[in-house]
Amino acid sequence: MNAARAPLIGRSVERKEDHRFLTGVGQYTDDIVLPGQSYGFFLRSPHAHARIRSIDAGAARGAPGVLAIFTGEDLAGIGGLPCGWLIKSVDGTPMKEPKHPVLAEGKVRHVGEQVALVVAESAAQAKAAAALIEVDYEILPAVVETAAAAASGTAVHDLAADNVCYTWSIGDEGAVTAAFARAAHVTTLRLVNNRLIPNALEPRAANAAHSPGDDSYTLYVTSQNPHVERLLMTAFVLGIPEHKMRVVAPDVGGGFGSKIYLYAEETALVWASKRVGRPIKWTAERSESFLTDAHGRDHVSTAELALDAQGHFLALRVHTTANMGAYLSTFASCIPTILYATLLAGQYATPHIYCTVQAVFTNTTPVDAYRGAGRPEATYLLERIVERAARELRIDPVELRRRNFIRKFPHATPVGLTYDTGDYDATLSRVIDLADVAGYAARKQASAAKGLLRGLGYSCYIEACGLAPSNIAGALGARAGLFEAAEVRVHPTGKVTVFTGSHSHGQGHETTFAQVVADRLGLSLEDVDIQHGDTGKVLFGMGTYGSRSLAVGGSAIVKALDKIISKGKKIAAHLLEASDADVEFEHGEFRIAGTDRKKAFAEIALAAYVPHNYPLGTLEPGLNENAFYDPTNFTYPAGSYVCEVEVDPLTGKVRVDRFSASDDFGNVINPMIVEGQVQGGIAQGIGQALLEGCRYNEDGQLLTGSFTDYALPRADDMPALAIELAPGTPCTHNPLGAKGCGEAGAIGTPPAVINAVLDALAPLGVTDIDMPATPHRVWEAIRRHAR
């Protein structure tokens, strides 16, 4: 092995998996056709809130190709879809947790809820038969508005008469009250964090089969965490022994959080596959995705920031109403609490923070994690109010931030987290240079000459990533550990297969993880194969979300590699007749320290599997190791963003002209992949700020149920991006020093864009605007202030 070979870690290696995607040979759930394949279609509620008086499926049962029809009455004996995080209210009572039925039982509570499952020989026949089912509904008043849900007078669930799921708080209310009493200035802001619809490239799909020979099940599904899917479905809903169910998540075309959860559709298919005696496949139509994929965000908040006469933050007080939708989705309860309020310190040394969160049920699609999950909501609130305070105090927004940055680490925030490392001054300084803020005045003048308004906005974000620490998560209400597992299997030829509990659905794990393994063992990238997404192959795993794959899943792989190398040293010592304490491993070679006596990694691998040719003494044959990794803390990526926009005051049209980002992700394995993640996150952040907004009417009908009405960002909405991966401050508590990168762009971008828009509109007297800042909304704000 060439000892001078350049390290693989830190190199922009092209993604191994892209060849199969670009050549059309990837295998997605809908590509899988099983022997005897049948197809399912779900009849869905057209009403947001209604009592089901009767269901007449007689005509549908006689339709061509129909094999079976199931309703909520058929599945009434099974459990509801569980929520994985228990939140307690301020009075100590547990959150209200009404049953989330697989098929509607007695009532429907949002448009699109599953009422019946039709199974037929073809998808077209199943859909046609569903149209023949007659359902008699008693329509009830719908609860739609987040802020008004608790006082609506209509109960979504009998269990929560006032629609309040929980009222939760964090921080020292007394200390915050005292700080506000001595403040020289208080900035107050009401914010709406708009509801978003995920819209992954591949819609959700599932294909379930039952094997009567051993009474086992196999489920192919578009999931970000197949082991969790299996655990929740078997233990809490269907009562199937866990070892009797295999869940496979093959190639998955994006998730953004929406494919973390256990959904009703795949659960119904698994249950029905045994009754029908045939495998059943269902693939969502895009309209179904809009109606039923878990939505994101949807907060209404009031924030107050207390400052002293010198502009130092004294305290932050926040009240948030968070929309849960009609039912509690898998992680819904922790998003506006554990993943939101604990991040309200941001990058600032605010001494006191107090936040209350009221979670409410409404007759809308369930809300759960969407790229960033709580962290975007916290950053948006904090960076908006900091920018407003700077304007009110006539302090440069950069200077106000710098006066309040955390500079000593580790730093314990007043909302329960301890940041291990960071350098916020450095990322802010670098992004100011990257954005050429010094040249902004000239660009603003050039825009004015064209009759356009130019604005500049800042955002300094931090996020808690590497979602894992089981001891912390458990204390905060998690109903499962959040560790990760890995198996490293060295073959006799020295080639390596890694089985990881993380799941890749666009992140590039097959490349990044292979870089880690190949670099550590001194192998070529082609000698390492990464396997994921199959509970029948992988030891165990908690899946991919919260930017945890490398920090947690990668660390589990490193722990298994350490065991491989340790055993390899023992084998090498035996073969070289030396003490294993004298054996060093570097560049793919086991070498006796201070000598030229060595064995290549492949030689040791062969020796491990051919013990009769290479006597190993008391060592077991084989070179295969497992490892679990449960970190002691979250990781804390952070960065600074600068956005410049041009606004046409005649039309309200906003154009993002320049966008710059400087991110500290700790140690970076593959800069190209990381930069791609940041680019995608920025695109989604611009989408939320300017284009995307899920809207319901007063009857709970989704008004933005297609791409005609729900505007995703397109290429011409994006500026050229200036992205710099700052020389990182490595994470101090995982072996890779990695922090996570997948959600940063979606977290830091919205406030930077809106701050820029408001900076542009400030000369016209506009001081606030909600997302999305559409042309009509901006135009209305301009005209309102002009009047």
Side-chain angles (χ1 to χ4, degrees), residues 267-303:
T267 307
L269 262 57
V270 170
W271 180 89
S273 66
K274 183 175 182 177
R275 277 74 187 171
V276 175
R278 300 262 297 273
I280 310 171
K281 180 162 70 172
W282 164 81
T283 300
E285 298 177 354
R286 184 58 66 176
S287 59
E288 290 181 285
S289 298
F290 273 97
L291 286 171
T292 64
D293 288 7
H295 293 176
R297 315 293 192 248
D298 204 343
H299 286 193
V300 178
S301 299
T302 301

Side-chain angles (χ1 to χ4, degrees), residues 643-775:
C643 177
E644 279 188 44
V645 302
E646 281 188 328
V647 180
D648 185 339
L650 298 179
T651 65
K653 172 68 176 175
V654 177
R655 183 180 70 88
V656 180
D657 183 55
R658 300 162 67 95
F659 198 99
S660 305
S662 178
D663 298 284
D664 175 3
F665 296 134
N667 292 338
V668 172
I669 305 301
N670 189 313
M672 179 186 68
I673 288 177
V674 170
E675 186 170 332
Q677 287 285 315
V678 175
Q679 289 172 345
I682 291 172
Q684 287 181 285
I686 289 174
Q688 176 171 14
L690 299 181
L691 299 162
E692 298 183 50
C694 172
R695 297 291 301 276
Y696 288 90
N697 71 7
E698 61 184 11
D699 297 321
Q701 294 293 328
L702 182 64
L703 301 178
T704 51
S706 74
F707 291 130
T708 301
D709 310 296
Y710 187 90
L712 291 179
R714 297 183 293 186
D716 60 355
D717 295 308
M718 295 295 295
L721 303 177
I723 296 173
E724 180 187 77
L725 305 181
T729 55
C731 174
T732 61
H733 55 78
N734 71 52
L736 290 168
K739 293 184 177 181
C741 68
E743 297 166 299
I747 292 170
T749 298
V753 175
I754 296 300
N755 285 338
V757 171
L758 291 173
D759 184 56
L761 299 179
L764 304 181
V766 178
T767 60
D768 196 15
I769 196 164
D770 286 332
M771 298 187 291
T774 60

Side-chain angles (χ1 to χ4, degrees), residues 564-603:
I564 293 287
I565 292 169
S566 178
K567 184 173 181 180
K569 286 180 177 180
K570 290 181 172 66
I571 296 172
H574 188 78
L575 298 181
L576 295 169
E577 298 179 338
S579 168
D580 59 314
D582 295 329
V583 178
E584 299 173 340
F585 181 73
E586 190 176 17
H587 303 303
E589 294 176 338
F590 293 90
R591 183 186 298 270
I592 305 301
T595 76
D596 60 357
R597 300 170 60 207
K598 62 186 180 182
K599 290 287 184 181
F601 181 78
E603 293 180 273

